[in-house]
Amino acid sequence: MTLTSDVDAFTTTRLLDAIAPTDGGRDILDPATGAVVGRAPEQTPAELEDAIARARAAQPSWAKLSHSERSAHLNAAADAIEANAEALAELLSREQGKPLNGPNARFEVGACASWLRATASFELAPEKVVDDGVGHAELHYRPLGVVGAIGPWNWPMMITVWQLAPALRMGNTVVVKPSEYTPLSVLALAHVINTALPADVLHVVAGGRDIGEALSGHPGIDKLMFTGSTATGKAIIRSSADTVKRLTLELGGNDAGIVLPDVDAKAVAQDLFWGAFINTGQTCAALKRLYVHEDVYTEVCDALVEVAAGMPMGVGLDENNVLGPLQNKAQFDIVATLVESAKASGAKVLTGGDPVADQAGYFYPSTLVADIDNSNDLVTQEQFGPALPIIRYSTIDEAVEMANALDVGLGASVWSSDVDRAREVAARIEAGTVWINKHGAVDPRVPFGGAKQSGYGLEFGVEGLKQLGAPQIISY
Protein backbone atom coordinates (compact mmCIF):
# COMPACT_ATOMS: atom_id res chain seq x y z
CA MET A 1 0.00 0.00 0.00
CA THR A 2 1.38 3.39 -0.98
CA LEU A 3 0.02 6.70 0.20
CA THR A 4 1.03 10.21 -0.78
CA SER A 5 0.24 13.46 0.93
CA ASP A 6 -1.63 16.08 -1.11
CA VAL A 7 -0.68 18.85 1.30
CA ASP A 8 1.19 21.83 -0.09
CA ALA A 9 4.26 23.00 1.76
CA PHE A 10 3.35 25.35 4.61
CA THR A 11 5.13 28.52 5.51
CA THR A 12 5.87 29.05 9.18
CA THR A 13 3.20 31.76 9.25
CA ARG A 14 0.60 29.38 7.82
CA LEU A 15 1.51 26.74 10.36
CA LEU A 16 1.13 29.22 13.20
CA ASP A 17 -2.21 30.35 11.83
CA ALA A 18 -3.40 26.74 11.53
CA ILE A 19 -2.66 25.90 15.18
CA ALA A 20 -3.57 29.25 16.78
CA PRO A 21 -6.53 29.22 19.19
CA THR A 22 -9.71 30.89 18.02
CA ASP A 23 -9.80 32.75 21.33
CA GLY A 24 -7.77 32.90 24.51
CA GLY A 25 -4.43 31.13 24.70
CA ARG A 26 -1.07 32.61 25.57
CA ASP A 27 1.95 34.07 23.84
CA ILE A 28 5.04 31.90 23.41
CA LEU A 29 8.31 33.85 23.48
CA ASP A 30 11.57 33.21 21.67
CA PRO A 31 14.20 32.32 24.33
CA ALA A 32 16.90 33.95 22.22
CA THR A 33 15.25 37.33 21.70
CA GLY A 34 12.12 37.59 23.84
CA ALA A 35 9.99 38.22 20.74
CA VAL A 36 6.56 36.63 20.40
CA VAL A 37 6.73 33.47 18.30
CA GLY A 38 3.02 32.71 18.24
CA ARG A 39 -0.02 32.05 20.35
CA ALA A 40 -0.69 28.63 21.85
CA PRO A 41 -4.00 27.26 23.03
CA GLU A 42 -4.57 26.60 26.71
CA GLN A 43 -6.86 23.60 26.53
CA THR A 44 -9.03 22.31 29.34
CA PRO A 45 -9.63 18.93 30.98
CA ALA A 46 -12.97 18.84 29.14
CA GLU A 47 -11.13 19.14 25.83
CA LEU A 48 -8.81 16.34 26.93
CA GLU A 49 -11.84 14.17 27.67
CA ASP A 50 -13.16 14.85 24.18
CA ALA A 51 -9.81 14.02 22.57
CA ILE A 52 -9.54 10.72 24.45
CA ALA A 53 -13.11 9.78 23.56
CA ARG A 54 -12.52 10.50 19.88
CA ALA A 55 -9.25 8.58 19.93
CA ARG A 56 -10.98 5.59 21.51
CA ALA A 57 -13.72 5.69 18.87
CA ALA A 58 -11.17 5.79 16.06
CA GLN A 59 -8.90 3.07 17.44
CA PRO A 60 -10.76 -0.11 16.34
CA SER A 61 -10.75 0.93 12.68
CA TRP A 62 -7.08 1.91 12.86
CA ALA A 63 -6.24 -1.41 14.53
CA LYS A 64 -8.03 -3.37 11.78
CA LEU A 65 -5.49 -2.11 9.25
CA SER A 66 -2.54 -4.39 8.64
CA HIS A 67 0.97 -3.52 9.76
CA SER A 68 1.85 -2.71 6.16
CA GLU A 69 -1.16 -0.42 5.78
CA ARG A 70 -0.32 1.48 8.95
CA SER A 71 3.31 1.65 7.83
CA ALA A 72 2.17 3.24 4.59
CA HIS A 73 0.51 5.99 6.61
CA LEU A 74 3.71 6.52 8.61
CA ASN A 75 5.73 6.82 5.40
CA ALA A 76 3.20 9.32 4.06
CA ALA A 77 3.56 11.29 7.30
CA ALA A 78 7.33 11.30 6.77
CA ASP A 79 6.76 12.64 3.24
CA ALA A 80 4.62 15.44 4.68
CA ILE A 81 7.28 16.36 7.23
CA GLU A 82 9.94 16.50 4.54
CA ALA A 83 7.71 18.71 2.38
CA ASN A 84 7.40 21.12 5.32
CA ALA A 85 10.86 20.66 6.81
CA GLU A 86 12.08 24.24 6.55
CA ALA A 87 8.94 25.79 8.04
CA LEU A 88 8.99 23.28 10.90
CA ALA A 89 12.69 23.89 11.54
CA GLU A 90 12.24 27.66 11.62
CA LEU A 91 9.37 27.37 14.10
CA LEU A 92 11.37 24.95 16.25
CA SER A 93 14.37 27.28 16.26
CA ARG A 94 12.28 30.27 17.27
CA GLU A 95 10.37 28.47 20.02
CA GLN A 96 13.00 26.14 21.47
CA GLY A 97 16.02 28.32 20.71
CA LYS A 98 18.22 25.77 18.98
CA PRO A 99 19.99 26.97 15.81
CA LEU A 100 18.93 25.84 12.37
CA ASN A 101 22.34 24.35 11.65
CA GLY A 102 24.55 21.80 13.38
CA PRO A 103 22.85 18.93 15.24
CA ASN A 104 19.89 21.18 15.93
CA ALA A 105 16.59 22.26 14.32
CA ARG A 106 17.01 21.00 10.76
CA PHE A 107 18.62 17.87 12.17
CA GLU A 108 15.66 17.31 14.53
CA VAL A 109 13.03 17.71 11.83
CA GLY A 110 14.95 15.37 9.55
CA ALA A 111 15.16 12.85 12.38
CA CYS A 112 11.36 12.94 12.74
CA ALA A 113 10.94 11.76 9.16
CA SER A 114 13.72 9.20 9.47
CA TRP A 115 12.26 7.76 12.68
CA LEU A 116 8.84 7.36 11.09
CA ARG A 117 10.34 5.52 8.14
CA ALA A 118 12.49 3.28 10.34
CA THR A 119 9.54 2.39 12.57
CA ALA A 120 7.44 1.63 9.49
CA SER A 121 10.11 -0.79 8.26
CA PHE A 122 10.35 -3.06 11.32
CA GLU A 123 8.98 -6.56 10.89
CA LEU A 124 6.91 -7.93 13.74
CA ALA A 125 5.89 -11.49 12.89
CA PRO A 126 4.39 -13.95 15.39
CA GLU A 127 7.12 -15.76 17.33
CA LYS A 128 7.07 -19.54 17.72
CA VAL A 129 7.62 -20.32 21.37
CA VAL A 130 7.00 -24.08 21.23
CA ASP A 131 6.78 -26.32 18.18
CA ASP A 132 7.94 -29.78 19.22
CA GLY A 133 5.48 -31.98 17.41
CA VAL A 134 3.35 -32.29 20.53
CA GLY A 135 2.37 -28.73 21.29
CA HIS A 136 2.45 -25.33 19.60
CA ALA A 137 2.58 -21.88 21.15
CA GLU A 138 2.89 -18.53 19.37
CA LEU A 139 3.55 -15.10 20.80
CA HIS A 140 1.60 -12.26 19.18
CA TYR A 141 1.41 -8.54 19.98
CA ARG A 142 -1.96 -6.78 19.88
CA PRO A 143 -2.74 -3.06 20.11
CA LEU A 144 -3.25 -1.70 23.62
CA GLY A 145 -5.86 0.93 22.74
CA VAL A 146 -5.12 4.61 23.38
CA VAL A 147 -1.59 5.70 24.25
CA GLY A 148 -0.92 8.94 26.11
CA ALA A 149 2.36 10.72 25.44
CA ILE A 150 3.89 13.50 27.54
CA GLY A 151 6.98 15.09 26.04
CA PRO A 152 9.72 17.52 27.08
CA TRP A 153 10.86 20.91 25.76
CA ASN A 154 14.42 20.04 24.75
CA TRP A 155 13.72 17.90 21.64
CA PRO A 156 9.95 18.48 21.40
CA MET A 157 9.37 17.27 17.85
CA MET A 158 11.76 14.35 17.79
CA ILE A 159 10.76 12.87 21.13
CA THR A 160 7.08 13.22 20.22
CA VAL A 161 7.78 11.11 17.13
CA TRP A 162 9.71 8.60 19.26
CA GLN A 163 6.48 8.18 21.23
CA LEU A 164 3.81 8.30 18.54
CA ALA A 165 5.52 6.34 15.74
CA PRO A 166 5.63 2.91 17.45
CA ALA A 167 2.25 3.52 19.10
CA LEU A 168 0.58 4.18 15.76
CA ARG A 169 2.43 1.40 13.98
CA MET A 170 1.19 -1.10 16.57
CA GLY A 171 -2.44 -0.03 15.99
CA ASN A 172 -2.98 2.31 18.91
CA THR A 173 -4.31 5.83 18.69
CA VAL A 174 -2.41 8.60 20.49
CA VAL A 175 -3.13 11.65 22.64
CA VAL A 176 -0.09 13.92 23.12
CA LYS A 177 0.43 16.50 25.83
CA PRO A 178 3.39 18.76 24.87
CA SER A 179 5.54 20.74 27.25
CA GLU A 180 4.13 24.12 28.23
CA TYR A 181 7.40 25.64 27.00
CA THR A 182 7.24 24.26 23.43
CA PRO A 183 3.61 23.58 22.48
CA LEU A 184 3.78 25.28 19.08
CA SER A 185 6.42 22.90 17.71
CA VAL A 186 4.41 19.83 18.66
CA LEU A 187 1.10 21.26 17.49
CA ALA A 188 2.62 22.18 14.12
CA LEU A 189 4.27 18.78 13.75
CA ALA A 190 0.99 16.99 14.50
CA HIS A 191 -0.85 19.25 12.07
CA VAL A 192 1.51 18.15 9.32
CA ILE A 193 1.45 14.46 10.31
CA ASN A 194 -2.35 14.47 10.46
CA THR A 195 -2.51 15.29 6.75
CA ALA A 196 -1.40 11.65 6.25
CA LEU A 197 -3.51 9.95 8.94
CA PRO A 198 -7.21 9.12 9.29
CA ALA A 199 -9.24 11.46 11.46
CA ASP A 200 -8.86 11.24 15.25
CA VAL A 201 -5.93 8.81 15.21
CA LEU A 202 -3.60 11.48 16.62
CA HIS A 203 -4.59 14.31 18.96
CA VAL A 204 -2.56 17.00 20.71
CA VAL A 205 -3.96 18.67 23.82
CA ALA A 206 -1.86 21.65 24.89
CA GLY A 207 -2.17 22.98 28.40
CA GLY A 208 -0.69 23.08 31.85
CA ARG A 209 0.14 20.57 34.55
CA ASP A 210 -3.54 19.76 35.07
CA ILE A 211 -3.68 18.24 31.59
CA GLY A 212 -0.65 16.05 32.25
CA GLU A 213 -2.05 14.89 35.58
CA ALA A 214 -5.44 14.10 34.06
CA LEU A 215 -3.84 12.20 31.18
CA SER A 216 -1.60 10.06 33.42
CA GLY A 217 -4.48 8.97 35.64
CA HIS A 218 -7.20 8.69 33.00
CA PRO A 219 -8.93 5.30 32.75
CA GLY A 220 -9.28 5.77 28.99
CA ILE A 221 -5.50 5.77 28.52
CA ASP A 222 -4.07 2.25 28.25
CA LYS A 223 -0.40 3.18 28.24
CA LEU A 224 1.54 6.32 29.04
CA MET A 225 4.90 7.29 27.58
CA PHE A 226 6.81 10.03 29.38
CA THR A 227 10.17 11.71 28.85
CA GLY A 228 11.24 14.16 31.53
CA SER A 229 12.49 14.48 35.09
CA THR A 230 12.72 11.64 37.58
CA ALA A 231 10.56 13.59 40.04
CA THR A 232 7.74 13.94 37.53
CA GLY A 233 8.16 10.31 36.52
CA LYS A 234 7.59 9.23 40.11
CA ALA A 235 4.43 11.34 40.26
CA ILE A 236 3.19 9.67 37.06
CA ILE A 237 3.83 6.22 38.52
CA ARG A 238 1.70 7.14 41.53
CA SER A 239 -1.12 8.66 39.48
CA SER A 240 -1.23 5.70 37.09
CA ALA A 241 -1.51 3.09 39.82
CA ASP A 242 -5.30 2.97 40.14
CA THR A 243 -5.72 2.17 36.44
CA VAL A 244 -2.72 -0.21 36.31
CA LYS A 245 -1.74 1.34 33.01
CA ARG A 246 1.49 0.37 31.33
CA LEU A 247 4.32 2.90 31.41
CA THR A 248 7.46 3.70 29.48
CA LEU A 249 9.52 6.25 31.39
CA GLU A 250 12.68 7.91 30.06
CA LEU A 251 13.73 9.97 33.04
CA GLY A 252 16.60 12.15 34.13
CA GLY A 253 20.19 11.20 33.53
CA ASN A 254 23.58 12.45 34.63
CA ASP A 255 25.68 10.58 32.10
CA ALA A 256 29.30 9.81 32.85
CA GLY A 257 32.10 9.52 30.33
CA ILE A 258 35.40 7.80 31.14
CA VAL A 259 38.50 8.68 29.14
CA LEU A 260 41.17 5.97 29.34
CA PRO A 261 44.89 6.85 29.43
CA ASP A 262 45.59 5.59 25.90
CA VAL A 263 43.29 8.11 24.22
CA ASP A 264 44.39 10.57 21.54
CA ALA A 265 43.01 13.80 23.02
CA LYS A 266 42.89 15.80 19.82
CA ALA A 267 41.27 12.92 17.91
CA VAL A 268 38.32 12.63 20.31
CA ALA A 269 37.91 16.25 21.43
CA GLN A 270 35.23 17.24 18.93
CA ASP A 271 33.13 14.12 19.62
CA LEU A 272 33.54 14.68 23.35
CA PHE A 273 32.39 18.27 22.94
CA TRP A 274 29.26 17.38 21.01
CA GLY A 275 28.53 14.50 23.36
CA ALA A 276 28.23 17.08 26.12
CA PHE A 277 27.08 20.24 24.33
CA ILE A 278 24.61 18.98 21.72
CA ASN A 279 21.48 21.13 21.96
CA THR A 280 23.49 23.41 24.28
CA GLY A 281 23.66 20.58 26.80
CA GLN A 282 19.87 20.22 26.99
CA THR A 283 19.69 16.51 26.26
CA CYS A 284 18.79 13.70 28.67
CA ALA A 285 21.52 11.42 27.34
CA ALA A 286 24.19 14.09 26.98
CA LEU A 287 27.61 13.69 28.57
CA LYS A 288 27.30 15.56 31.87
CA ARG A 289 30.40 14.55 33.86
CA LEU A 290 33.71 13.58 32.32
CA TYR A 291 36.30 11.43 34.10
CA VAL A 292 39.78 11.73 32.57
CA HIS A 293 42.86 9.75 33.51
CA GLU A 294 45.62 11.83 35.06
CA ASP A 295 48.07 10.87 32.29
CA VAL A 296 46.00 12.66 29.61
CA TYR A 297 44.03 15.12 31.78
CA THR A 298 45.78 18.30 30.66
CA GLU A 299 45.78 17.29 26.99
CA VAL A 300 42.03 16.52 27.03
CA CYS A 301 41.22 19.78 28.81
CA ASP A 302 43.29 21.82 26.36
CA ALA A 303 41.77 20.07 23.33
CA LEU A 304 38.22 20.69 24.60
CA VAL A 305 38.94 24.38 25.19
CA GLU A 306 40.20 24.66 21.62
CA VAL A 307 37.08 23.01 20.22
CA ALA A 308 34.75 25.13 22.37
CA ALA A 309 36.38 28.33 21.08
CA GLY A 310 35.28 27.46 17.54
CA MET A 311 31.59 26.86 18.29
CA PRO A 312 29.57 30.07 17.79
CA MET A 313 26.54 30.67 20.01
CA GLY A 314 23.68 33.03 19.22
CA VAL A 315 20.20 33.46 17.76
CA GLY A 316 19.15 30.25 16.04
CA LEU A 317 17.99 31.80 12.77
CA ASP A 318 21.53 33.08 12.14
CA GLU A 319 22.98 30.41 9.85
CA ASN A 320 26.43 30.81 11.44
CA ASN A 321 25.45 29.65 14.93
CA VAL A 322 25.55 26.07 16.18
CA LEU A 323 24.74 26.70 19.87
CA GLY A 324 21.69 28.54 21.17
CA PRO A 325 20.23 29.77 24.46
CA LEU A 326 18.85 27.78 27.33
CA GLN A 327 15.19 27.29 26.55
CA ASN A 328 13.84 28.97 29.67
CA LYS A 329 14.85 31.16 32.58
CA ALA A 330 14.44 28.39 35.14
CA GLN A 331 17.00 26.23 33.35
CA PHE A 332 19.37 29.18 32.93
CA ASP A 333 19.25 29.77 36.68
CA ILE A 334 20.01 26.10 37.42
CA VAL A 335 23.11 26.14 35.24
CA ALA A 336 24.31 29.48 36.61
CA THR A 337 23.85 28.34 40.23
CA LEU A 338 25.75 25.10 39.66
CA VAL A 339 28.67 26.84 37.98
CA GLU A 340 28.86 29.39 40.79
CA SER A 341 28.93 26.49 43.26
CA ALA A 342 31.88 25.03 41.39
CA LYS A 343 33.70 28.37 41.39
CA ALA A 344 33.12 28.80 45.11
CA SER A 345 34.63 25.39 45.78
CA GLY A 346 37.88 26.37 44.08
CA ALA A 347 37.33 24.55 40.80
CA LYS A 348 39.04 26.04 37.75
CA VAL A 349 36.88 27.48 34.95
CA LEU A 350 38.82 26.81 31.75
CA THR A 351 36.40 28.70 29.51
CA GLY A 352 32.96 30.28 29.91
CA GLY A 353 31.22 30.71 33.21
CA ASP A 354 30.57 34.41 32.65
CA PRO A 355 27.22 35.15 30.94
CA VAL A 356 26.76 38.67 29.63
CA ALA A 357 24.46 40.38 32.11
CA ASP A 358 22.55 42.60 29.68
CA GLN A 359 22.37 40.15 26.76
CA ALA A 360 18.91 39.42 25.38
CA GLY A 361 17.92 35.79 25.70
CA TYR A 362 18.95 33.00 28.04
CA PHE A 363 22.46 32.55 26.71
CA TYR A 364 24.97 30.79 28.92
CA PRO A 365 28.44 30.38 27.38
CA SER A 366 30.01 26.99 26.77
CA THR A 367 31.70 26.28 30.09
CA LEU A 368 34.41 23.76 30.96
CA VAL A 369 35.26 23.30 34.63
CA ALA A 370 38.43 21.44 35.68
CA ASP A 371 40.04 20.45 38.99
CA ILE A 372 36.62 19.85 40.49
CA ASP A 373 35.77 17.47 43.31
CA ASN A 374 33.50 14.56 42.47
CA SER A 375 31.13 15.55 45.29
CA ASN A 376 30.53 19.07 43.91
CA ASP A 377 26.95 19.94 42.96
CA LEU A 378 27.94 20.49 39.33
CA VAL A 379 28.94 16.81 39.23
CA THR A 380 26.23 15.21 41.35
CA GLN A 381 23.26 17.19 40.04
CA GLU A 382 22.12 17.12 36.42
CA GLN A 383 22.96 20.56 35.02
CA PHE A 384 21.09 20.09 31.70
CA GLY A 385 23.00 22.90 30.08
CA PRO A 386 26.35 23.98 28.61
CA ALA A 387 28.63 23.37 31.60
CA LEU A 388 30.83 20.28 31.74
CA PRO A 389 32.78 19.26 34.89
CA ILE A 390 36.03 17.38 34.15
CA ILE A 391 37.19 15.14 37.00
CA ARG A 392 40.68 13.67 37.26
CA TYR A 393 41.13 10.00 38.20
CA SER A 394 44.09 7.67 38.78
CA THR A 395 42.77 4.11 38.37
CA ILE A 396 40.02 2.52 36.31
CA ASP A 397 38.43 1.14 39.47
CA GLU A 398 38.22 4.68 40.84
CA ALA A 399 36.63 6.00 37.64
CA VAL A 400 34.03 3.22 37.50
CA GLU A 401 33.16 3.69 41.15
CA MET A 402 32.59 7.43 40.63
CA ALA A 403 30.60 6.85 37.44
CA ASN A 404 28.30 4.39 39.23
CA ALA A 405 27.90 6.41 42.44
CA LEU A 406 24.70 8.23 41.46
CA ASP A 407 21.15 6.85 41.48
CA VAL A 408 20.63 7.47 37.74
CA GLY A 409 21.92 5.54 34.74
CA LEU A 410 20.56 6.57 31.38
CA GLY A 411 23.71 6.55 29.26
CA ALA A 412 27.49 6.53 29.63
CA SER A 413 30.57 6.34 27.42
CA VAL A 414 34.14 5.02 27.38
CA TRP A 415 36.84 6.63 25.26
CA SER A 416 39.93 4.66 24.23
CA SER A 417 42.08 3.67 21.27
CA ASP A 418 41.67 0.04 22.42
CA VAL A 419 38.07 -1.01 21.75
CA ASP A 420 38.41 -4.33 23.58
CA ARG A 421 39.66 -2.56 26.70
CA ALA A 422 36.84 -0.03 26.38
CA ARG A 423 34.29 -2.84 26.18
CA GLU A 424 35.64 -4.35 29.40
CA VAL A 425 35.16 -1.03 31.18
CA ALA A 426 31.75 -0.47 29.57
CA ALA A 427 30.47 -3.76 30.98
CA ARG A 428 31.13 -2.47 34.50
CA ILE A 429 29.09 0.74 34.13
CA GLU A 430 25.52 0.85 35.45
CA ALA A 431 23.67 2.50 32.56
CA GLY A 432 21.07 1.53 30.00
CA THR A 433 23.40 2.34 27.09
CA VAL A 434 27.18 2.61 27.06
CA TRP A 435 28.75 4.08 23.94
CA ILE A 436 32.38 3.64 22.96
CA ASN A 437 34.19 6.66 21.47
CA LYS A 438 30.88 8.50 21.08
CA HIS A 439 28.08 9.66 23.34
CA GLY A 440 24.33 10.02 22.89
CA ALA A 441 24.28 8.46 19.42
CA VAL A 442 20.74 7.06 19.42
CA ASP A 443 19.60 4.93 16.48
CA PRO A 444 15.97 4.04 15.62
CA ARG A 445 17.00 0.38 15.21
CA VAL A 446 18.73 0.09 18.61
CA PRO A 447 16.69 -0.28 21.84
CA PHE A 448 17.15 2.53 24.34
CA GLY A 449 16.16 2.76 28.00
CA GLY A 450 17.46 3.68 31.41
CA ALA A 451 18.82 1.91 34.48
CA LYS A 452 18.22 2.74 38.14
CA GLN A 453 16.12 5.92 38.52
CA SER A 454 16.52 6.90 34.87
CA GLY A 455 13.32 5.02 34.13
CA TYR A 456 12.11 1.73 32.73
CA GLY A 457 10.77 0.32 29.51
CA LEU A 458 12.47 0.33 26.12
CA GLU A 459 12.10 2.56 23.10
CA PHE A 460 13.31 2.10 19.50
CA GLY A 461 13.75 -0.96 17.35
CA VAL A 462 11.58 -4.05 17.35
CA GLU A 463 11.93 -4.36 21.13
CA GLY A 464 10.62 -0.83 21.55
CA LEU A 465 7.75 -1.57 19.18
CA LYS A 466 6.73 -4.55 21.31
CA GLN A 467 6.39 -2.22 24.32
CA LEU A 468 3.42 -0.62 22.56
CA GLY A 469 1.59 -3.93 22.24
CA ALA A 470 -0.12 -6.38 24.56
CA PRO A 471 1.57 -9.79 24.38
CA GLN A 472 -0.82 -12.64 23.68
CA ILE A 473 0.01 -16.34 23.60
CA ILE A 474 -1.97 -18.62 21.33
CA SER A 475 -1.38 -22.22 22.34
CA TYR A 476 -2.74 -25.34 20.66
Side-chain angles (χ1 to χ4, degrees):
M1 180 180 180
T2 301
L3 296 175
T4 57
S5 174
D6 295 327
V7 151
D8 294 329
F10 289 97
T11 62
T12 304
T13 300
R14 282 186 61 202
L15 278 174
L16 287 169
D17 288 345
I19 63 177
T22 53
D23 57 8
R26 62 190 176 92
D27 288 339
I28 301 296
L29 305 183
D30 184 333
T33 66
V36 175
V37 178
R39 197 155 182 83
E42 284 280 84
Q43 292 174 275
T44 65
E47 290 173 290
L48 175 66
E49 289 285 347
D50 180 64
I52 294 172
R54 290 164 63 187
R56 292 208 74 82
Q59 193 272 332
S61 295
W62 178 246
K64 284 180 182 178
L65 298 180
S66 66
H67 278 295
S68 62
E69 289 172 324
R70 291 194 294 270
S71 290
H73 282 286
L74 295 190
N75 281 317
D79 292 340
I81 289 172
E82 288 170 348
N84 292 280
E86 193 62 16
L88 288 169
E90 181 182 327
L91 174 56
L92 177 62
S93 180
R94 291 170 59 194
E95 181 181 46
Q96 200 282 334
K98 63 185 65 182
L100 291 171
N101 291 324
N104 292 300
R106 288 178 177 132
F107 167 84
E108 180 170 348
V109 173
C112 291
S114 297
W115 231 272
L116 284 164
R117 295 196 196 284
T119 305
S121 72
F122 298 144
E123 295 185 7
L124 189 62
E127 301 173 27
K128 284 187 178 180
V129 179
V130 174
D131 185 12
D132 59 4
V134 178
H136 303 269
E138 296 173 347
L139 174 60
H140 297 254
Y141 288 87
R142 311 299 188 195
L144 292 164
V146 181
V147 171
I150 301 176
W153 47 259
N154 57 331
W155 295 91
M157 290 184 179
M158 187 169 69
I159 291 177
T160 294
V161 169
W162 289 358
Q163 296 169 331
L164 67 83
L168 293 174
R169 165 69 193 284
M170 187 54 78
N172 306 291
T173 51
V174 182
V175 178
V176 175
K177 190 273 179 191
S179 167
E180 299 97 309
Y181 288 112
T182 53
L184 300 177
S185 295
V186 176
L187 286 162
L189 177 71
H191 182 75
V192 170
I193 289 174
N194 272 328
T195 63
L197 298 179
D200 292 328
V201 167
L202 171 63
H203 287 269
V204 177
V205 181
R209 180 176 294 182
D210 58 333
I211 298 298
E213 291 173 349
L215 186 65
S216 63
H218 199 288
I221 296 296
D222 300 287
K223 169 154 187 162
L224 192 76
M225 303 184 76
F226 171 74
T227 296
S229 71
T230 297
T232 302
K234 290 177 179 179
I236 286 172
I237 292 169
R238 289 189 289 269
S239 66
S240 69
D242 287 344
T243 55
V244 199
K245 60 170 51 64
R246 292 159 174 80
L247 299 174
T248 293
L249 303 174
E250 195 260 84
L251 306 179
N254 194 344
D255 288 13
I258 299 177
V259 177
L260 301 190
D262 64 358
V263 81
D264 180 338
K266 286 187 175 295
V268 301
Q270 182 139 323
D271 288 336
L272 278 172
F273 178 87
W274 282 118
F277 290 89
I278 186 172
N279 197 29
T280 316
Q282 301 166 108
T283 299
C284 294
L287 173 57
K288 299 192 176 77
R289 47 197 174 109
L290 183 63
Y291 298 96
V292 181
H293 192 273
E294 59 190 6
D295 289 354
V296 290
Y297 189 84
T298 300
E299 290 89 338
V300 170
C301 288
D302 290 346
L304 281 170
V305 169
E306 184 177 349
V307 171
M311 299 295 179
M313 175 182 286
V315 175
L317 296 184
D318 182 333
E319 297 276 357
N320 295 310
N321 293 323
V322 294
L323 296 168
L326 277 303
Q327 202 284 324
N328 54 78
K329 179 64 161 56
Q331 197 57 45
F332 179 95
D333 289 344
I334 289 170
V335 175
T337 298
L338 290 173
V339 173
E340 289 306 311
S341 168
K343 289 180 181 179
S345 75
K348 181 180 181 182
V349 176
L350 301 176
T351 188
D354 54 349
V356 178
D358 59 353
Q359 185 176 31
Y362 305 126
F363 289 99
Y364 199 95
S366 300
T367 300
L368 298 166
V369 181
D371 301 333
I372 185 169
D373 189 85
N374 193 54
S375 63
N376 189 272
D377 287 349
L378 182 59
V379 180
T380 62
Q381 298 181 29
E382 184 181 23
Q383 70 276 50
F384 215 70
L388 178 66
I390 309 171
I391 305 100
R392 190 191 310 262
Y393 74 89
S394 300
T395 69
I396 298 299
D397 288 346
E398 179 189 11
V400 171
E401 182 180 1
M402 290 190 291
N404 290 339
L406 302 183
D407 59 4
V408 289
L410 188 58
S413 57
V414 181
W415 303 76
S416 173
S417 60
D418 183 341
V419 173
D420 290 336
R421 179 66 177 128
R423 289 177 63 190
E424 292 174 3
V425 176
R428 300 173 60 189
I429 298 176
E430 298 166 356
T433 299
V434 183
W435 293 277
I436 293 175
N437 293 330
K438 56 186 176 181
H439 197 109
V442 293
D443 184 312
R445 301 165 298 179
V446 179
F448 179 73
K452 298 192 278 190
Q453 292 193 32
S454 288
Y456 49 76
L458 288 173
E459 299 178 274
F460 314 161
V462 174
E463 294 305 314
L465 187 60
K466 290 176 181 178
Q467 304 267 312
L468 275 302
Q472 180 188 54
I473 294 289
I474 296 179
S475 183
Y476 57 96

